[in-house]
Amino acid sequence: MSTGSQGDEGPRYYPSGPSTGQYPQYPQNPYPQGTSPAGAPQGDQHPAGQYTGGQYAYSPYAQAPTPSADEPRRARRPATMAGALVLLVLSALPFLVFGVLGLFVPISQDMFPPELGLDAMLTQYNVSFDQFLQAVRLLLALVAVLALVYIGLAVAAFAGKAWGRVAVTVLTVLFCGFLLLNLGGGASSLIILAPVVLAVAGVVLMFVRPSAAWFAGLR
């Protein structure tokens, strides 16, 4: 048995004896798990489910993020906007149908009533009936295009576009003003007034309180 040593820093020899089959026990960590002495770094102590150096620590108790209660939500479209769209489309539909039919339906000079004085007018302006018919078809095509544009702007306003509401309002004012200034007497005036009433009612529905609040919430 050797217990020699060479000074304080020399090798030490421990007594030899029969093997007990056990290994010597080393000192354990004197600090409880998750703690450290004052001023010592804590190591990789991260709450479960938080970001840890390029990856997320998994935890079965981590909860999925929920939307904040203060997050703005898209307001529901009011029924007044649906009513406005229906009225505006109905007001433009007769002009669209009339304009499209006028482009394809054959038109003859006999279809115009004599009291209209078409022959005298053509003679006065030295215009043939074919030239007059071409001008009429061009005007009907313009009416159909304007009706399509009007319906498109009504759909844009229904989708929540503020510029669509402004544009359809301006066109309604111009359209109604033109018809009212050229309004004649008789039963034909009632037919012309029907689209005017529908268009005005549709525009009013776009500016009532539910519709105005809906547009304000979209900003």
Side-chain angles (χ1 to χ4, degrees), residues 4-218:
S5 62
Q6 298 179 358
D8 295 335
E9 299 179 358
R12 296 183 179 182
Y13 302 92
Y14 297 90
S16 60
S19 176
T20 60
Q22 298 181 354
Y23 295 94
Q25 297 184 359
Y26 297 94
Q28 299 181 355
N29 183 9
Y31 304 103
Q33 185 177 1
T35 62
S36 63
Q42 296 287 337
D44 294 333
Q45 303 278 341
H46 296 277
Q50 291 189 358
Y51 185 74
T52 56
Q55 60 183 355
Y56 287 91
Y58 170 77
S59 173
Y61 304 103
Q63 298 181 355
T66 56
S68 174
D70 298 334
E71 183 179 354
R73 297 180 180 179
R74 184 178 179 87
R76 185 177 181 182
R77 182 184 291 109
T80 52
M81 288 302 302
L85 177 63
V86 172
L87 293 178
L88 293 175
V89 171
L90 289 178
S91 67
L93 195 58
F95 298 94
L96 177 61
V97 174
F98 184 72
V100 173
L101 290 179
L103 295 176
F104 301 100
V105 174
I107 300 176
S108 62
Q109 192 169 356
D110 299 335
M111 298 176 62
F112 296 89
E115 55 270 15
L116 187 61
L118 179 61
D119 294 338
M121 184 181 64
L122 294 178
T123 302
Q124 179 181 358
Y125 292 98
N126 194 20
V127 177
S128 65
F129 179 75
D130 292 337
Q131 293 175 337
F132 170 75
L133 185 59
Q134 290 179 359
V136 170
R137 292 190 184 278
L138 181 61
L139 180 61
L140 292 175
L142 180 60
V143 170
V145 171
L146 288 177
L148 284 176
V149 171
Y150 190 80
I151 293 175
L153 292 175
V155 173
F158 178 76
K161 308 298 182 182
W163 55 266
R165 183 174 65 158
V166 173
V168 78
T169 302
V170 173
L171 285 182
T172 299
V173 172
L174 296 177
F175 163 73
C176 294
F178 175 78
L179 290 181
L180 293 176
L181 289 177
N182 293 274
L183 186 64
S188 59
S189 60
L190 298 178
I191 299 176
I192 296 177
L193 278 178
V196 172
V197 173
L198 292 175
V200 172
V203 171
V204 170
L205 285 179
M206 289 194 302
F207 286 91
V208 294
R209 180 174 298 178
S211 300
W214 181 65
F215 275 101
L218 295 178

